[in-house]
Amino acid sequence: MCSYCGCHDITVIGRLMDEHEAIQNAAGELRRTVVTGGPEDVAAGVAALAGLLDPHVEVEERGLFGGLRDDPEFAPHIDRLCGEHVTLEAALDAVRGGDLTGLDALLRLLDAHIEREDNGVFPAAATALDGPSWDRITDRLNEPAAVQHHPDRVTEPRGAP
């Protein structure tokens, strides 16, 4: 997490960066559990990581990314990050299903993804978005709506039947 630009002081970004730290801690714990634990321990580690990652992705995509996608300069970067969310979800599902061969690739992608957000998108958002934009982002986060993971893929809100 960067600490030099002040974007952490913006409520939405600060929340997402704090969640990144918790996600990275859970990912590290999962890596250790795969080496030292049994199948039940690995399943619990995957569940813990998913339990942090799923709501985090929803906040990013429905809130901040929705606000940034309105700007054509940001749209390709946001589309890439949303595509990575889909890839991360699929890789996590494979690990959840017992296929540990992709765990290292999953964790590397997760680290690189967080790096791009913390040191790229978040500082850019802090300088590019104005007060009304932040208000719209906050409004989006307060609406119970379908979550858009990718421009071509709309899913029901997390926890929907």
Side-chain angles (χ1 to χ4, degrees):
M1 166 185 345
C2 85
S3 60
Y4 54 87
C5 74
C7 65
H8 191 273
D9 294 335
I10 297 170
T11 303
V12 172
I13 293 176
R15 171 185 173 181
L16 293 171
M17 292 177 91
D18 290 345
E19 289 175 1
H20 279 168
E21 186 174 349
I23 288 166
Q24 287 178 309
N25 289 338
E29 186 60 34
L30 176 59
R31 182 185 306 274
R32 287 183 291 281
T33 299
V34 165
V35 173
T36 63
E40 296 86 18
D41 300 319
V42 172
V46 170
L49 180 56
L52 295 169
L53 199 54
D54 290 347
H56 173 82
V57 166
E58 181 175 344
V59 169
E60 282 185 339
E61 292 187 4
R62 196 166 78 184
L64 182 62
F65 290 4
L68 289 171
R69 184 174 272 121
D70 294 341
D71 184 332
E73 184 177 336
F74 285 108
H77 303 289
I78 298 307
D79 290 345
R80 176 183 177 195
L81 293 169
C82 290
E84 288 177 1
H85 287 161
V86 172
T87 301
L88 287 165
E89 182 179 349
L92 192 57
D93 284 345
V95 173
R96 182 182 289 119
D99 180 6
L100 301 179
T101 60
L103 181 65
D104 285 338
L106 162 69
L107 298 178
R108 279 193 308 276
L109 175 59
L110 183 60
D111 283 342
H113 178 83
I114 289 172
E115 169 74 19
R116 279 188 281 284
E117 290 178 350
D118 281 357
N119 295 309
V121 172
F122 295 168
T127 60
L129 297 175
D130 59 11
S133 297
W134 288 111
D135 291 342
R136 283 191 299 277
I137 289 167
T138 300
D139 290 345
R140 283 183 181 135
L141 291 174
N142 291 327
E143 293 174 356
V147 178
Q148 186 168 342
H149 286 280
H150 190 268
D152 300 324
R153 180 178 161 222
V154 176
T155 61
E156 294 300 315
R158 304 276 191 232

